[in-house]
Amino acid sequence: MTHFKTLISTHVHSRTDLREYRCEQGTICSNNFGSKFVGISRYPADPLRSMLTHMIRFFSIALAVFFCLNTAFAQGKDQSAISEKWQTIWNQDQRIGYAHSTTQRKTIDGQKVVLTDTLVSMTLSRFGQTLTIRQKLHQEELADGTLLKMSSILENPPNSRTSLSGIVEGDEIRLRSQVAGNEIVKELTGMQGVRSSAYPERFVEDGNLKLGKPVQIEVFEPQMGMKTTIRIEYMRDIESGPDSGLREVKFEQSLPGAANIETIVYCRKDWSTQKVVSPLMKMEMREATAKEALEPIGEQKIDFALDTMLKVKGLKNTDASKSITYRIAVEGASPAEIFTESNYQTIRKLSESEIELTVTSVELPSLTTDKHEQATVGEEYLQSSQFLETDAAIIKQLAEQGSETSHPVEVAVGLKKFVQGYVSDKNFSTAMATAVEVAKSKAGDCTEHAVLLAALLRAKKIPSRVAIGFVYSPQHQAFVGHMWTEAWIAGNWFPLDAALGNVGKNCGYLTISTSALSDQGNAPTVEFLPMLHLLGRTKIDVVEIIR
């Protein structure tokens, strides 16, 4: 499917914008794909900010599966003309955006090729602030869905434009990504015959499904930068109720380290799509006219951040606790596979859907600790990367400005305090930026604090990584999405939270995953995926608090 699109921070308000969009896509496809590549994608991530907004990124991941699903059904039966389709996007019966797609079949270099362009735009509310996100995706494929070329563009004002493009040659796909002016090229193997993410929908529309006989299709997922599997099953003909006369088709996309994401498509008898529903995110896409789709978004009555918190009772003074044990139950997923263990977090599996998770408070080592004791850490935790530009002059300058000492404990604490004060514009509207972008803008929330601190630590030769999970918010009596930094000191990882000002492990932090944000590692999107399966289906109880 054209799933997991990264949504962009600008909004299309008119047909003029749409003409510009088509022109950009046409230019990208016709001029930038041949033997030469142009600048290409950041792997984004996305619900909540300062500790809350980057959950919006995770939300966008789930929505992308769902958005592309419907937009790809725009193909139509005309084999030569450009067909287009508009949809409105709804969250619990509140309109929050639109999707627009065009599809054209052409003959290029003697091959019959299908070209699909998709634009998605949404406006969401989190804690009273508005975030508008937008994404574009172009794909070229053969009639049987075999992927030839793709490009994905993310615009992230005030940060730089980022993009990903790729071309398949035999068993390999050559990817070029560009983030904040930093470009890397990767080649992935095992791509012989991989389909475009738009193909599964066309497969359905062409009437290829049989009742009760599922099929599986391997597709290349642009935003995760990897091959994934889509399972499609024609479930039933609906004979009564508001959807009477429609066919129900289930799409299930397998994801690394996370439960599958399910999307339900409701087709008419001719297999054209009436609507698409995402049970996970309570989202729906409905057919619309261009006028309906482009109507301004009204006042947002649903606050997404508040709606996606993980509520918990009986929890207080997490920073004064030595350890806290939580019982976590997740409907339809295995929490033992979602949460991770570390030197401060352990898991006891109670059943397939329930665990006891114990978080232990840890403090940074004393100043007498041998500062060189870090033999087992991997090189990726010291290397410069697209998100952590350790070698950049501004990063080196800020690292020296933030800490003039040499002892790793003093350096870590000093840089945490420095970043906490340096990022002065604590806003909910910055999408995930690189360390250099944060250094220049001095703006952002938890993700921006985390990447800047990680880069400064590496510039001072202290290995670092980011941690992704949840933090307890006393104000809301709930866990909310969060990212923080960890420093490798004296043979262990120690948490540093520049956004909230915490040093060491507070028992109110629940870790889902950690990442070096390496250019050769998983896209950040992949690290965030498990969080999606906790939203709306998780119960957390406090079992024991040790003061």
Side-chain angles (χ1 to χ4, degrees), residues 396-454:
K396 292 180 178 179
Q397 176 186 342
L398 292 181
E400 293 303 317
Q401 182 180 338
S403 180
E404 297 179 353
T405 183
S406 61
H407 194 285
V409 173
E410 291 180 322
V411 171
V413 174
L415 290 178
K416 188 278 301 180
K417 292 179 180 177
F418 174 77
V419 171
Q420 186 177 6
Y422 183 83
V423 182
S424 54
D425 181 5
K426 316 282 187 181
N427 70 66
F428 290 167
S429 57
T430 304
M432 187 171 175
T434 72
V436 165
E437 288 177 321
V438 182
K440 292 178 179 179
S441 70
K442 300 183 181 182
D445 58 19
C446 60
T447 49
E448 283 65 52
H449 288 77
V451 296
L452 180 57
L453 178 54

Side-chain angles (χ1 to χ4, degrees), residues 317-474:
N317 300 325
T318 59
D319 57 340
S321 303
K322 291 183 178 180
S323 71
I324 300 178
T325 299
Y326 303 91
R327 181 177 290 110
I328 302 176
V330 183
E331 180 184 350
S334 174
E337 297 178 3
I338 294 175
F339 291 90
T340 188
E341 290 193 302
S342 67
N343 55 306
Y344 50 75
Q345 181 168 292
T346 60
I347 296 171
R348 185 167 76 92
K349 188 173 181 178
L350 303 178
S351 68
E352 191 59 33
S353 61
E354 191 172 23
I355 62 171
E356 281 189 353
L357 185 146
T358 300
V359 182
T360 303
S361 176
V362 294
E363 302 295 335
L364 282 169
S366 69
L367 295 179
T368 60
T369 300
D370 181 356
K371 63 183 179 182
H372 300 297
E373 187 185 345
Q374 47 194 28
T376 60
V377 72
E379 292 182 0
E380 67 271 23
Y381 299 107
L382 280 167
Q383 291 172 343
S384 183
S385 68
Q386 280 191 313
F387 277 92
L388 307 179
E389 308 98 316
T390 304
D391 295 334
I394 190 171
I395 296 299
K396 292 180 178 179
Q397 176 186 342
L398 292 181
E400 293 303 317
Q401 182 180 338
S403 180
E404 297 179 353
T405 183
S406 61
H407 194 285
V409 173
E410 291 180 322
V411 171
V413 174
L415 290 178
K416 188 278 301 180
K417 292 179 180 177
F418 174 77
V419 171
Q420 186 177 6
Y422 183 83
V423 182
S424 54
D425 181 5
K426 316 282 187 181
N427 70 66
F428 290 167
S429 57
T430 304
M432 187 171 175
T434 72
V436 165
E437 288 177 321
V438 182
K440 292 178 179 179
S441 70
K442 300 183 181 182
D445 58 19
C446 60
T447 49
E448 283 65 52
H449 288 77
V451 296
L452 180 57
L453 178 54
L456 297 186
L457 287 166
R458 292 186 189 185
K460 297 290 282 187
K461 307 305 179 185
I462 297 177
S464 67
R465 66 186 187 184
V466 297
I468 299 145
F470 292 88
V471 66
Y472 180 68
S473 168

Side-chain angles (χ1 to χ4, degrees), residues 194-423:
V194 70
R195 278 13 185 223
S196 84
S197 57
Y199 174 69
E201 294 74 39
R202 190 166 69 255
F203 177 86
V204 173
E205 189 191 51
D206 288 344
N208 292 308
L209 288 180
K210 304 298 180 185
L211 188 63
K213 294 184 177 181
V215 298
Q216 291 194 155
I217 301 174
E218 289 187 327
V219 303
F220 180 76
E221 178 42 63
Q223 296 310 323
M224 292 189 293
M226 63 174 58
K227 182 169 63 176
T228 66
T229 300
I230 307 290
R231 184 180 186 274
I232 311 171
E233 185 171 3
Y234 174 14
M235 302 296 292
R236 62 178 178 134
D237 293 317
I238 303 174
E239 297 179 352
S240 61
D243 298 321
S244 177
L246 298 179
R247 292 168 164 162
E248 180 181 318
V249 178
K250 181 171 73 173
F251 281 71
E252 198 171 44
Q253 184 163 22
S254 61
L255 305 170
N260 295 348
I261 288 186
E262 181 181 294
T263 308
I264 306 299
V265 178
Y266 294 89
C267 301
R268 300 181 181 88
K269 294 300 183 183
D270 65 355
W271 294 103
S272 63
T273 303
Q274 184 185 82
K275 64 179 179 179
V276 179
V277 176
S278 169
L280 180 66
M281 302 308 300
K282 305 175 186 176
M283 302 293 299
E284 186 172 319
M285 295 185 73
R286 306 170 186 171
E287 282 188 321
T289 64
K291 181 179 180 181
E292 291 170 336
L294 295 173
E295 282 289 324
I297 301 296
E299 179 183 357
Q300 298 287 298
K301 297 179 181 179
I302 298 173
D303 193 302
F304 181 76
L306 296 175
D307 195 48
T308 54
M309 291 179 174
L310 305 181
K311 292 289 186 179
V312 62
K313 295 181 180 179
L315 189 58
K316 58 178 64 175
N317 300 325
T318 59
D319 57 340
S321 303
K322 291 183 178 180
S323 71
I324 300 178
T325 299
Y326 303 91
R327 181 177 290 110
I328 302 176
V330 183
E331 180 184 350
S334 174
E337 297 178 3
I338 294 175
F339 291 90
T340 188
E341 290 193 302
S342 67
N343 55 306
Y344 50 75
Q345 181 168 292
T346 60
I347 296 171
R348 185 167 76 92
K349 188 173 181 178
L350 303 178
S351 68
E352 191 59 33
S353 61
E354 191 172 23
I355 62 171
E356 281 189 353
L357 185 146
T358 300
V359 182
T360 303
S361 176
V362 294
E363 302 295 335
L364 282 169
S366 69
L367 295 179
T368 60
T369 300
D370 181 356
K371 63 183 179 182
H372 300 297
E373 187 185 345
Q374 47 194 28
T376 60
V377 72
E379 292 182 0
E380 67 271 23
Y381 299 107
L382 280 167
Q383 291 172 343
S384 183
S385 68
Q386 280 191 313
F387 277 92
L388 307 179
E389 308 98 316
T390 304
D391 295 334
I394 190 171
I395 296 299
K396 292 180 178 179
Q397 176 186 342
L398 292 181
E400 293 303 317
Q401 182 180 338
S403 180
E404 297 179 353
T405 183
S406 61
H407 194 285
V409 173
E410 291 180 322
V411 171
V413 174
L415 290 178
K416 188 278 301 180
K417 292 179 180 177
F418 174 77
V419 171
Q420 186 177 6
Y422 183 83
V423 182

Side-chain angles (χ1 to χ4, degrees), residues 516-538:
L517 294 181
S518 165
D519 290 340
Q520 304 308 314
N522 286 334
T525 307
V526 176
E527 308 294 346
F528 299 140
L529 288 175
M531 297 185 73
L532 291 171
H533 298 278
L534 298 176
L535 304 179
R537 58 173 70 180
T538 302

Side-chain angles (χ1 to χ4, degrees), residues 146-148 167-175 187-195 218-221 225-228:
T146 300
L147 179 64
L148 299 174
I167 185 168
V168 178
E169 296 178 346
D171 187 53
E172 294 182 342
I173 183 168
R174 180 180 170 87
L175 297 173
E187 293 180 353
L188 303 179
T189 59
M191 297 294 164
Q192 183 76 43
V194 70
R195 278 13 185 223
E218 289 187 327
V219 303
F220 180 76
E221 178 42 63
M226 63 174 58
K227 182 169 63 176
T228 66

Side-chain angles (χ1 to χ4, degrees), residues 492-503:
N492 273 310
W493 289 105
F494 290 90
L496 299 165
D497 190 342
L500 300 182
N502 294 325
V503 176

